[in-house]
Amino acid sequence: MLNFAQAQVISMFKVARTQHVLAVNDFNDAIKFFTDKLGFTLEHIIDGWAFLHLDTFFLMVGDCRGEVPAKDTHNHSLFAYINCTGIDELYIQYQQRGVQFKQKIADKPWGLREFEVETPEGHRMLFGQAIDG
């Protein structure tokens, strides 16, 4: 059972935002992919870290040359699931920008419309939108 002081601390907690963190071997190529292909905005670069965002999805990309590439981690290369709206429009934009899809857009039996993107180094992201009705 929580006492009053513990309950106050818990009720004051709030996640302000989350940021995914990726280690990449080709820092410049990764930034180019996220900005040119996926439409992320580059906020700034500091000490080998690029800070980017796509709407409210925040990302930190670290210059980590010599690390194991994401593609060699197989199922562990999936780093984000992005719940969104306007998924069909986004998919069309990505097609027009030449994005290669790991999984084409489709309705899934669990009630989501999804597609999957893979970065040049093998980091995977799923985009999904709830299916209406």
Side-chain angles (χ1 to χ4, degrees):
M1 176 71 55
L2 295 176
N3 66 34
F4 181 74
Q6 290 170 322
Q8 275 190 310
V9 170
I10 290 172
S11 67
M12 293 170 43
F13 172 79
K14 181 181 178 193
V15 174
R17 76 180 199 189
T18 61
Q19 290 186 185
H20 289 75
V21 180
L22 295 181
V24 298
N25 283 284
D26 190 331
F27 187 67
N28 292 327
D29 188 51
I31 294 168
K32 186 172 176 49
F33 176 79
F34 280 104
T35 56
D36 293 354
K37 296 289 188 179
L38 300 187
F40 278 70
T41 299
L42 176 62
E43 293 176 6
H44 52 272
I45 297 173
I46 299 173
D47 296 329
W49 287 96
F51 295 81
L52 305 109
H53 73 277
L54 178 65
D55 193 29
T56 61
F57 176 64
F58 294 89
L59 180 64
M60 294 169 57
V61 175
D63 188 351
C64 300
R65 291 172 213 165
E67 292 296 323
V68 175
K71 65 183 171 205
D72 291 344
T73 64
H74 308 290
N75 285 334
H76 295 281
S77 65
L78 178 61
F79 80 95
Y81 192 99
I82 301 97
N83 292 285
C84 59
T85 59
I87 195 167
D88 290 294
E89 294 81 4
L90 182 65
Y91 187 79
I92 290 167
Q93 286 177 19
Y94 284 2
Q95 281 181 313
Q96 292 170 344
R97 294 178 187 159
V99 171
Q100 298 296 309
F101 298 97
K102 180 89 172 165
Q103 179 186 127
K104 293 187 179 190
I105 197 163
D107 292 348
K108 301 297 180 176
W110 44 88
L112 293 166
R113 185 161 176 75
E114 297 178 341
F115 68 86
E116 184 176 351
V117 170
E118 185 174 59
T119 70
E121 291 193 25
H123 295 101
R124 296 169 28 232
M125 304 184 309
L126 274 166
F127 291 82
Q129 177 177 322
I131 298 169
D132 294 331

